[in-house]
Amino acid sequence: MIINEQKQGDIDIVALSGRFVMVEASEVRERLKTLIDEGQGLLVIDMEQVTFIDSSACAVLISAFKAMQIKSGRLILVTSPVVQSLIELTRLHTVFEILPTQVAALSALLGD
């Protein structure tokens, strides 16, 4: 898995690619926790390039969502078809705000 972090204004963006599985879960969890703790409460997790996701990855996403709720922040997911399928299967699409592209997510957070 490749993890890229960037910032656009007050928005933190984490772009993931490859397989998001148990082996990478703890690293991703720690990086997200740091961004959430130090950030302004606006986070995009871009998984357009993720080819596989397992239950431990879902747990990481839920953990990030809960941390953002505590901070009164906003988290938006951008998903690939593979990720979207699992999120819908687990009914997590009722929990997360999901948009089709990073551009759409940034626009939503900027209020455009």
Side-chain angles (χ1 to χ4, degrees), residues 50-103:
V50 171
T51 58
F52 182 82
I53 185 172
D54 69 5
S55 61
S56 59
C58 287
V60 170
L61 297 175
I62 292 167
S63 176
F65 175 78
K66 287 181 178 180
M68 288 299 279
Q69 279 190 314
I70 290 168
K71 191 169 184 159
S72 297
R74 189 169 172 198
L75 167 66
I76 297 179
L77 299 182
V78 177
T79 61
S80 67
V82 169
V83 173
Q84 185 67 31
S85 293
L86 182 65
I87 286 176
E88 288 177 6
L89 181 68
T90 57
R91 310 237 348 114
L92 289 173
H93 66 288
T94 63
V95 174
F96 290 108
E97 183 175 359
I98 302 169
L99 291 173
T101 66
Q102 190 179 113
V103 171

Side-chain angles (χ1 to χ4, degrees), residues 9-42:
D10 289 338
I11 303 169
D12 291 301
I13 304 162
V14 177
L16 307 174
S17 60
R19 294 171 54 86
F20 188 4
V21 293
M22 186 172 59
V23 175
E24 287 88 11
S26 63
E27 179 184 358
V28 175
R29 182 186 316 271
E30 287 305 312
R31 288 172 82 170
L32 289 174
K33 182 182 181 325
T34 299
L35 284 174
I36 292 167
D37 290 346
E38 296 174 0
Q40 300 300 310
L42 301 172

